[in-house]
Amino acid sequence: MLIEHAIGENGPCISIYVTQPTLAGTELADLFIASGEDLSSITESLSPINCLPGLADAEVDLLMLCNLESILTGIDWESIFDRDYVNPIADHGPDGPWIYQVSRKLLDSLQCLSPDAVVECARVWADTDEWTLRTDVCTEKVAEVISDLAGLARTALAENKQVFLWTRL
């Protein structure tokens, strides 16, 4: 695990990089808050987490976001993927990075979760393949991830901005 502290244009950022094996290698992922104007300044080589507010957490990938939205909305994850995540809004080649806009339905669902709902959601989400394949994950850790995502959603929506997933191999 690598923890970085940085001061960006929008204040302090803490980046926590946890690598996870994928079929193609090691994937890094960050979630960040941005406006359309902010997106134009993102370069191929640097993660936007260094200058935009957000969460650096490779434990949350595209499929996991689809599964989380499925749990919160009752829509099957395949439909969510096909609707929102088939094509990245930025694609910088076979190793990335790629940028995806996190669906508004997921942000809306996350922003209104009560503490009890976070715990129940974590129990269900922790039981998905993406979490159960890891040996170091417990429901409490998954609840922390959901709480962090909910805070990110609240901030983005309050600022009338979007949340994006930046990922690369």
Side-chain angles (χ1 to χ4, degrees):
M1 177 185 304
L2 170 66
I3 301 175
E4 296 177 351
H5 300 271
I7 304 290
E9 291 177 15
N10 296 314
C13 300
I14 298 175
S15 300
I16 303 172
Y17 295 94
V18 180
T19 58
Q20 77 184 44
T22 65
L23 292 177
T26 300
E27 182 177 308
L28 296 175
D30 296 329
L31 289 160
F32 65 95
I33 298 171
S35 65
E37 200 173 277
D38 296 328
L39 283 179
S40 64
S41 67
I42 295 173
T43 65
E44 182 177 335
S45 60
L46 295 175
S47 167
I49 200 70
N50 295 319
C51 60
L52 294 170
L55 301 170
D57 189 339
E59 291 179 328
V60 178
D61 63 23
L62 206 54
L63 183 55
M64 294 173 85
L65 291 175
C66 291
N67 279 326
L68 179 58
E69 184 174 336
S70 177
I71 291 164
L72 293 171
T73 66
I75 301 168
D76 66 283
W77 74 265
E78 294 96 341
S79 296
I80 294 166
F81 180 83
D82 291 342
R83 181 192 70 211
D84 295 319
Y85 299 110
V86 168
N87 297 307
I89 63 168
D91 182 344
H92 296 284
D95 291 333
W98 306 278
I99 298 174
Y100 297 88
Q101 183 173 335
V102 175
S103 81
R104 178 63 188 245
K105 285 184 187 241
L106 179 55
L107 298 180
D108 287 340
S109 297
L110 284 166
Q111 78 164 341
C112 60
L113 285 178
S114 69
D116 289 341
V118 167
V119 171
E120 178 58 23
C121 182
R123 187 188 60 72
V124 176
W125 198 29
D127 200 35
T128 61
D129 289 343
E130 293 73 31
W131 285 111
T132 58
L133 291 173
R134 301 174 189 191
T135 58
D136 62 339
V137 175
C138 62
T139 303
E140 291 79 15
K141 169 62 178 162
V142 176
E144 286 177 31
V145 171
I146 293 170
S147 293
D148 290 345
L149 292 172
L152 193 67
R154 283 188 213 74
T155 300
L157 294 172
E159 295 176 3
N160 200 28
K161 293 185 177 181
Q162 300 295 322
V163 174
F164 297 90
L165 173 71
W166 178 95
T167 187
R168 75 173 307 137
L169 296 180

